[in-house]
Amino acid sequence: MAEFGEPRLENVVEYKIFSSHLAGVETVEDTLYDVLSYAQSLIGDYIWQNDCFNLSQELEKPKENVEHSEQNKFLKGSTNFGDNIEDEWFIVYLLFSITKQFPQLVVTVNDNDGEFLLIEAADYLPKWLEPDTSENRVFIYQGNLHIIPLPSKPSEITIFPTGKPTVYQALKVLKTNAEKTTALPWIQDPVMKKIQEYPNKAKESFHNVLCYIPSEVKYLLETKNSLISPAVLAFINRDPVDMKTCQKLTHFSLESLVPYRVRFTKCLYGQLVKQNFIPDKYAVKLLPEVSSPAYKGHLFGLQLTYGFEILYSQQSRYASGVTTPNTASCQQWEKYLDSLTKHGYFQNEVVGSRLYSQLLQNAKEYFTRICLNSEQTSQNNSNEIEQLLEDMPVPNKASDQSKPEEFPPDDEESWLELSPEELDLILSQYGLSTGEDVDLREVVNGMNSFVETISSYEGAEFPSDLGEEPDIQFDPEGFMTSLDKFLTKPINRVENETVSDDDSYSSNASDDEEIHDYTSAMDKELSLSNVGKSFVEVQEKSEETSSNKDQSPGQTSEDDAMKPVDIDLNLVQNFLESYSLQEGLPGPVSNILSPLGIILPENLPQTDT
């Protein structure tokens, strides 16, 4: 895991699992297989976007200033979730579940945003908790979020570490003071609210569509449905070289297609739908008419076929191949299989039954993926496809003649589009509104409160960022001293001080008068330029306005030149003009008003009434 200040990879979540009970490498290995087998029972047939949940043993020597000399043994993993943020939160659900199942384990999880779990409750975090102070202080332990606080009084210095704690110090605090480190409910609840939707939300992320594909592609998906992810990604990330490969189609044929209900994730399906894809001349001849109900299934089937062709063809781009390990015969697989059985993964199924065989195949597939180097993913997928096609039995023509009517209808696609009502509902869940009814006086008052707020050297603070009122500091000795001076002060001294204050006031008044003269002269000079014309002035009464009607257009009276500027009206007018130039995109006005709780409505076209 990258240290604070070091760059992290985009769309990659990293996690570490610690335990003070890990006394040796053998114990670490046993814990590894126990955790992986338990995670496999929760993962099931989940389809990952890029990488799956994985763990490996790590052995890290402590730095010289660490008080414990023993080596720090832990489990570590990282997952590239790509464009599917649901993968990241599914992993968070797995980590919370693991710490419930194994109470001795302590977990940290980060991504390129740092402690992203705290972002969910950013409005309720203590002031001291910032990116540079949160390292080794935020953990998942026994199914809860824990934050190791800074000592707030002398008695806590021996309990909570100051500065940046070591991992060993943090683990010690969690073991001995877990009740004092548990995050407050208003910090914990937003995270729990997101992960309590799983594992049901993971099952709801699937989208099934009837596609027309070659029998070889059907066999690959039936045997290993997780290949759908690399196939779709290979197609949407295609380059000109890949398209030339697709036009040849040396490994798959479009002449004989079979219907098959393909299971995507919503993320993969959405990426495929939004593709700007124009089939080549050869493929167009094989596609039905656009108006045909079967056109959609043939088009998606064509894109899937192209994706598998690209994956298969990538094998020739590597100088040397890496074969998939024979997991069934290796010692690590045997330990993993024993751990699966111990945790009830096979659901008491008889060895050799259909469900047992399917669960065993899923376990082999998952174990194979976590054993492989992520940098060789494309090559491994290519080798897997080749191996699977070599083992493919001779297709039974009778079984492949399923009619499209025999399949369930495609899943509905309303989730692809977001209605204004649904957007309002989502915004309301985060305490936001669409700003349909905005009182312009709120804009003025909000801006005034922002300008009057005293900010620190760390940057501007919005009124909503100030949080609770600061604690009142009471100095009893200073109070008694001031009170004693006031009660024992002579009357004549007070009178003398009053006179001196008046003298001071008269001198200050003369200074103010001189400043006023300078300001008036400056205003007169600016009034003759174009600068003054850019501001909206306070409107005079109708009687005073009518008295000036006899003036010629080119004349300007001194009173007109000295009219005060309407500050509030100018503020609102300039804000609205700047907001209209944003054209719905982020900009300075929306960035200032949003933290103030003010959201302006969208620009609507003007209609004549």
Side-chain angles (χ1 to χ4, degrees), residues 108-124:
T108 64
V109 57
N110 295 269
D111 62 9
N112 55 287
D113 292 325
E115 301 287 353
F116 67 94
L117 295 182
L118 300 181
I119 298 177
E120 298 299 313
D123 295 335
Y124 307 102

Side-chain angles (χ1 to χ4, degrees), residues 440-449 568-569 571-572 598:
L440 294 180
R441 286 174 295 186
E442 294 182 5
V443 178
V444 176
N445 295 334
M447 194 61 191
N448 288 337
S449 62
D568 293 344
L569 181 57
L571 171 67
V572 172
I598 303 172

Side-chain angles (χ1 to χ4, degrees), residues 436-455:
E436 293 298 332
D437 299 320
V438 177
D439 189 350
L440 294 180
R441 286 174 295 186
E442 294 182 5
V443 178
V444 176
N445 295 334
M447 194 61 191
N448 288 337
S449 62
F450 169 68
V451 173
E452 294 172 0
T453 301
I454 300 177
S455 300

Side-chain angles (χ1 to χ4, degrees), residues 5 8 16 28 59 63 66 76 94 177 326 366 388 417 551 583 587:
R8 289 186 173 95
K16 290 181 178 181
V28 176
L59 197 62
K63 299 178 182 179
V66 176
K76 179 180 179 180
L94 293 178
N177 295 277
N326 186 4
Y366 177 68
L388 289 173
E417 303 295 336
Q551 284 186 340
E583 299 181 351

Side-chain angles (χ1 to χ4, degrees), residues 262-366:
V262 180
R263 185 177 63 183
F264 301 86
T265 63
K266 289 183 177 180
C267 181
L268 291 172
Y269 182 73
Q271 289 177 312
L272 211 56
V273 169
K274 298 303 181 180
Q275 277 293 297
N276 183 17
F277 172 62
I278 301 177
D280 56 81
K281 295 180 180 179
Y282 172 72
V284 169
K285 296 178 181 179
L286 302 176
L287 291 175
E289 295 294 331
V290 178
S291 58
S292 172
Y295 177 79
K296 171 185 170 183
H298 279 82
L299 182 63
F300 285 129
L302 175 63
Q303 295 179 80
L304 277 180
T305 305
Y306 281 175
F308 278 101
E309 180 69 30
I310 294 171
L311 281 181
Y312 200 161
S313 302
Q314 285 176 344
Q315 180 182 10
S316 60
R317 301 186 187 181
Y318 299 95
S320 60
V322 177
T323 58
T324 304
N326 186 4
T327 57
S329 60
C330 66
Q331 183 179 4
Q332 290 82 359
W333 164 250
E334 294 297 336
K335 291 184 179 181
Y336 181 60
L337 184 60
D338 291 341
S339 184
L340 286 173
T341 306
K342 182 175 67 175
H343 288 90
Y345 170 74
F346 293 103
Q347 306 173 19
N348 296 324
E349 285 290 321
V350 179
V351 177
S353 66
R354 182 175 181 180
L355 180 56
Y356 181 92
S357 301
Q358 181 62 46
L359 293 173
L360 181 64
Q361 179 62 33
N362 291 341
K364 285 184 179 181
E365 174 188 332
Y366 177 68

